[in-house]
Amino acid sequence: MASTAVAATLGSSSSSSSLNRPCRKSNVKSCSLRTPSILHFRKQSAICTPSITISNPTTRQPEQSTPSPAVVVPQKQQQQQKQQPQKQWNFLQRKAAMALDAVESALVSHERQHSLPKTADPKVQISGNFAPVPEQPVVHNLPVTGEIPDSIQGVYLRNGANPLHEPVAGHHFFDGDGMVHAVQFKKGSVSYSSRFTETNRLVQERNLGRPLFPKAIGELHGHSGIARLLLFYARGACGIVDPSHGTGVANAGLVYFDGHLLAMSEDDFPYHVRVLPSGDLKTVGRYDFDGQLKTTMIAHPKVDPVSGELFALSYDVVQKPYLKYFRVSPDGKKSPDVEISLDQPTMMHDFAITERFVVVPDQQVVFKLPEMIRGGSPVIYDKNKMARFGILDKNAADASNMRWIETPDCFCFHLWNAWEEPETDEVVVIGSCMTPPDSIFNECDESLKSVLSEIRLNLKTGKSTRRPIMSEADQVNLEAGMVNRNLLGRKTQFAYLALAEPWPKVSGFAKVDLSTGEVHKHTYGDQKFGGEPLFLPRDPNSEREDDGHIVAFVHDEKEWKSELQIVNAMNLKLEATVKIPSRVPYGFHGTFIGAKDLERQA
């Protein structure tokens, strides 16, 4: 998670000098990725590293008709037709490659003398159903239990992290290569496919047969992280790798805008992915809005449901301006960047919009690259910094009129919605406030807590208030979800959010009344876990905000099979289940493209 300039300089990992140092209590998290199944990768083609094999005798792993869900199909079998001729290296490049490989082997040998933290240990981060899968070419006529609602016509897509190669050293779940999973509903038939997003990074590493780009969170930590950066820059200088066309993984967000399905992570430009008539997926390429985009874009742009405009942020962790804001018209014309002044680079994974404003969080998780020199992680919780939200007119040409309002000790990794209440001169922000703030990135002992909260920003007084929306008795961790996107930026009654328990697994989703705090839950079933719930309106003109359905991928850890559940959003009754022909790992964010929009793809 970073800007293009230093996509490889972020995160926490395996510095030999910092692995065993004590954590501040405020940085501590209890990691629950502790249910290893069987995980196997083929050996790399150059640096020989033993394959990771983890077994859990208490967890049954049934077979299914497709390749074993916990085994990655060998690369030559999986992507034989995608292999591209590797460009021929000259004599000096071959010698340089050998020398740099030897340096990396020594570095890996040194790193393995020290245990990895759970936040960077691949045996933890990609175990069980977090483990990667091979691509699945489109399979049609999937078995359905129940009845698919007539209103669901189009394709549901969900992004996720799916490492192509065995990690050489540290690996965080966020580091994996992007893979999009697609379920198409077409003329009474349902199909499924999953494909890697063909990023510059993935294409090069696939052709070279092993990972060479640094893992932004899992590897770049402390002195060993600096060494990996230098190693990568040396390979780039020798022409062994080419980072000039991006280093990102495109594994986090998905948005459909101006006829383009865009797969995104904030360390690169978006990638344009096309849904084929068959229901299969094809990467078109890196997308810069016809040459207008010059910097990276975060993975959570917002599309205004009324104006059709797209709004986005771009942040840099090395040089000022650390933050930029821009908008794109419905026909693809990008505005000039608005530079927003910040004292230090700050993680901004998400933001919000209202009818008139953009709402920008400037919180306490920051980037301090010199921490790597001192042996630590460059992603830290700065307890001395005052968290705040910035309010800026959507159409502003500069940030001179931006209004900053302090919100003490507030860190929201995701914001679900925001709206204006003119009668009180307030902007209301709905988000999940997470403690410890950096718990996703840095290992410690304090359990993560994610509280659905209402934050009120008073534009007249410059003060803020914050309250938990649910009662203490109903409190559960809520992360990943949405409101009815037809009402984004307007006052909404409901939010649909993942029940992130036992963390980091998702046992179901909650429908929360944002005004009363009343909560209703749908659980996926015994030993069944899923991810982000996606709300699909039945009729955009319906008077009921919750008139629609929730779709979500679900994995049965007992039977080791995956399915798609379709739930009535009004009464939370399961209406249909689609059996998926291969395992779907737990992942990140999704979207839905209606049948008419599919016909208008660029």
Side-chain angles (χ1 to χ4, degrees):
M1 300 188 150
S3 78
T4 299
V6 285
T9 61
L10 309 183
S12 62
S13 175
S14 53
S15 166
S16 60
S17 61
S18 63
L19 284 174
N20 300 315
R21 61 184 180 136
C23 292
R24 302 184 312 277
K25 184 177 180 181
S26 59
N27 278 354
V28 181
K29 126 169 167 45
S30 173
C31 179
S32 301
L33 288 174
R34 297 191 183 114
T35 313
S37 60
I38 302 167
L39 176 61
H40 172 75
F41 290 83
R42 68 186 183 88
K43 292 183 179 180
Q44 312 301 342
S45 61
I47 298 177
C48 292
T49 55
S51 60
I52 301 174
T53 304
I54 316 139
S55 61
N56 182 355
T58 65
T59 305
R60 186 167 68 93
Q61 312 294 348
E63 297 295 324
Q64 55 188 54
S65 59
T66 52
S68 172
V71 179
V72 173
V73 175
Q75 186 67 24
K76 290 182 180 179
Q77 296 177 28
Q78 184 189 149
Q79 296 183 342
Q80 188 174 19
Q81 294 181 349
K82 290 190 175 183
Q83 289 286 359
Q84 300 174 10
Q86 181 177 317
K87 72 174 184 179
Q88 295 299 311
W89 292 341
N90 60 37
F91 174 79
L92 293 177
Q93 286 177 313
R94 290 196 297 272
K95 291 296 183 183
M98 292 174 61
L100 293 172
D101 286 353
V103 171
E104 184 173 6
S105 294
L107 177 61
V108 170
S109 177
H110 173 73
E111 288 175 331
R112 288 183 175 172
Q113 297 175 21
H114 307 270
S115 60
L116 289 166
K118 291 186 179 71
T119 50
D121 188 344
K123 295 190 298 295
V124 173
Q125 291 290 307
I126 48 175
S127 66
N129 194 46
F130 292 90
V133 292
E135 291 185 317
Q136 174 65 66
V138 64
V139 178
H140 295 283
N141 300 315
L142 301 183
V144 176
T145 301
E147 187 172 341
I148 304 292
D150 293 337
S151 60
I152 300 181
Q153 296 294 324
V155 60
Y156 166 57
L157 303 122
R158 200 220 64 196
N159 210 345
N162 197 84
L164 177 66
H165 293 293
E166 174 188 358
V168 173
H171 181 93
H172 188 282
F173 181 51
F174 290 174
D175 289 327
D177 297 293
M179 175 176 277
V180 178
H181 302 260
V183 177
Q184 185 173 41
F185 303 88
K186 186 176 182 181
K187 298 178 180 178
S189 177
V190 186
S191 67
Y192 168 79
S193 66
S194 62
R195 295 291 185 183
F196 281 108
T197 298
E198 302 276 317
T199 62
N200 176 57
R201 175 192 191 118
L202 180 133
V203 169
Q204 290 189 57
E205 291 188 337
R206 184 177 60 208
N207 291 338
L208 292 168
R210 63 190 180 95
L212 290 176
F213 285 67
K215 304 286 181 70
I217 303 177
E219 290 181 344
L220 299 186
H221 186 271
H223 301 148
S224 65
I226 295 173
R228 287 197 171 279
L229 277 178
L230 295 175
L231 188 65
F232 180 67
Y233 295 149
R235 282 174 169 148
C238 295
I240 297 168
V241 295
D242 178 11
S244 64
H245 299 291
T247 61
V249 289
N251 67 13
L254 291 171
V255 67
Y256 184 76
F257 177 74
D258 188 26
H260 298 78
L261 172 64
L262 303 179
M264 301 161 292
S265 56
E266 50 238 56
D267 50 4
D268 205 339
F269 289 6
Y271 275 81
H272 177 197
V273 177
R274 183 174 174 82
V275 181
L276 303 180
S278 66
D280 213 338
L281 302 168
K282 179 181 180 181
T283 302
V284 178
R286 201 163 175 243
Y287 188 69
D288 61 2
F289 295 89
D290 294 327
Q292 300 175 94
L293 185 65
K294 306 298 181 185
T295 58
T296 60
M297 187 174 91
I298 69 168
H300 288 287
K302 310 298 178 186
V303 177
D304 189 294
V306 176
S307 71
E309 295 171 288
L310 179 142
F311 301 89
L313 299 178
S314 170
Y315 67 81
D316 194 306
V317 304
V318 172
Q319 59 186 1
K320 292 184 175 182
Y322 296 128
L323 182 65
K324 296 176 183 178
Y325 155 73
F326 62 89
R327 65 186 188 279
V328 184
S329 67
D331 59 355
K333 295 179 181 177
K334 179 183 170 295
S335 72
D337 290 334
V338 175
E339 297 181 357
I340 298 174
S341 177
L342 298 177
D343 292 334
Q344 58 185 323
T346 302
M347 173 169 286
M348 294 189 188
H349 181 68
D350 201 359
F351 73 113
I353 61 171
T354 69
E355 288 188 67
R356 293 187 298 154
F357 303 120
V358 288
V359 183
V360 179
D362 179 20
Q363 301 174 125
Q364 293 169 288
V365 176
V366 300
F367 300 103
K368 292 191 176 180
L369 302 186
E371 288 294 317
M372 294 179 71
I373 299 174
R374 292 187 281 271
S377 166
V379 183
I380 68 168
Y381 164 56
D382 184 352
K383 64 181 180 180
N384 296 318
K385 179 182 176 180
M386 173 59 73
R388 59 183 186 167
F389 281 87
I391 310 296
L392 182 67
D393 189 284
K394 279 180 174 178
N395 298 315
D398 58 54
S400 58
N401 291 323
M402 191 161 198
R403 182 78 180 271
W404 291 103
I405 298 177
E406 295 181 348
T407 53
D409 299 318
C410 175
F411 176 76
C412 296
F413 197 55
H414 292 108
L415 301 176
W416 311 121
N417 200 16
W419 62 81
E420 303 154 38
E421 293 194 353
E423 61 273 15
T424 59
D425 261 342
E426 290 179 313
V427 171
V428 180
V429 181
I430 305 297
S432 292
C433 294
M434 184 179 291
T435 55
D438 64 341
S439 56
I440 294 176
F441 307 102
N442 296 317
E443 178 191 11
C444 291
D445 297 326
E446 185 178 344
S447 296
L448 180 141
K449 191 174 183 181
S450 184
V451 179
L452 180 63
S453 302
E454 176 193 87
I455 304 159
R456 288 183 169 265
L457 309 172
N458 193 300
L459 300 178
K460 182 180 290 185
T461 66
K463 303 294 185 180
S464 71
T465 61
R466 174 165 55 115
R467 71 172 183 90
I469 291 176
M470 297 161 56
S471 68
E472 184 64 30
D474 288 332
Q475 177 58 44
V476 288
N477 286 330
L478 296 177
E479 254 299 332
M482 63 187 304
V483 299
N484 184 331
R485 285 180 178 167
N486 289 333
L487 297 172
L488 191 68
R490 283 78 183 165
K491 187 172 183 177
T492 45
Q493 181 180 357
F494 300 111
Y496 310 92
L497 302 168
L499 289 168
E501 295 188 355
W503 178 265
K505 294 180 182 178
V506 172
S507 56
F509 66 84
K511 175 186 179 182
V512 183
D513 189 311
L514 300 176
S515 58
T516 68
E518 184 179 6
V519 57
H520 297 276
K521 301 174 184 176
H522 169 78
T523 55
Y524 294 134
D526 181 38
Q527 291 300 304
K528 290 185 176 183
F529 302 94
E532 175 190 71
L534 186 87
F535 176 80
L536 298 178
R538 184 187 61 82
D539 180 354
N541 299 315
S542 175
E543 294 183 359
R544 287 197 57 164
E545 179 184 320
D546 60 350
D547 185 4
H549 295 86
I550 300 292
V551 297
F553 282 119
V554 174
H555 182 68
D556 187 330
E557 295 198 349
K558 183 168 56 177
E559 298 299 325
W560 209 245
K561 294 181 179 180
S562 297
E563 63 191 26
L564 182 79
Q565 291 191 4
I566 302 174
V567 180
N568 187 305
M570 291 190 287
N571 56 28
L572 300 194
K573 291 184 178 179
L574 181 65
E575 291 196 359
T577 300
V578 180
K579 292 184 179 180
I580 305 299
S582 55
R583 182 170 63 87
V584 180
Y586 305 132
F588 301 136
H589 306 291
T591 192
F592 189 90
I593 307 175
K596 292 182 179 178
D597 285 329
L598 282 174
E599 296 173 359
R600 295 193 290 263
Q601 285 186 95

